[in-house]
Amino acid sequence: MSRLPTAVIAAVTLVVGFAVAQGTGVRWLGGVVLAAGLLWCAARSVRRAGPVRTAGAGAVALAAFAGSHVVADVLGPWPSVLLAALVAGVGVWLLVDRADAGRAVRVTTHA
C-alpha cells in the first residue's frame, strides 16, 4: 500500500488528542486535536468511500470516543483510550480502507 491507511490516522488521532488533553491539562485542546483529525479523515475518506461510508466511519469513531469515557472508570483512562482507538481504527478500516470499500457488490449467478 502506497499510502498510510485512514484507519491509522483515526486511531492515532484519538490517542494524540487524549495525550494533549492529559499533558497540557487543557481538555478543549485535546478536543481541537480530535476535531481536526476527524475532519481530515472525513475529507480524505469521502472521495474513496463516499459520503455514507464516511459518515458511518465518523459515527463509529465518535461512539468509540464516547465509549472510552464510559469504560474509563473500569479500565482506567489510558487502556480505555487505547481500546477506543482500536475500535475506531477497525471501524474506519472496514468502512473506508478495505480494497473494496465504496465499491458496489457484484452478484453473479451461474445458470
Side-chain angles (χ1 to χ4, degrees):
M1 183 175 284
S2 63
R3 66 181 190 122
L4 191 62
T6 304
V8 172
I9 303 301
V12 168
T13 295
L14 284 169
V15 174
V16 171
F18 181 70
V20 167
Q22 286 286 98
T24 64
V26 182
R27 291 177 60 129
W28 66 264
L29 194 55
V32 169
V33 171
L34 289 173
L38 179 64
L39 290 173
W40 187 87
C41 288
R44 183 181 195 201
S45 299
V46 75
R47 287 174 289 211
R48 178 171 184 188
V52 173
R53 285 181 180 262
T54 298
V60 169
L62 289 174
F65 170 72
S68 71
H69 290 81
V70 174
V71 299
D73 288 338
V74 176
L75 298 178
W78 276 107
S80 68
V81 168
L82 294 175
L83 178 61
L86 175 67
V87 169
V90 169
V92 171
W93 182 81
L94 288 171
L95 291 167
V96 174
D97 291 327
R98 277 189 323 181
D100 62 343
R103 295 184 189 152
V105 175
R106 178 176 288 166
V107 177
T108 58
T109 59
H110 299 285

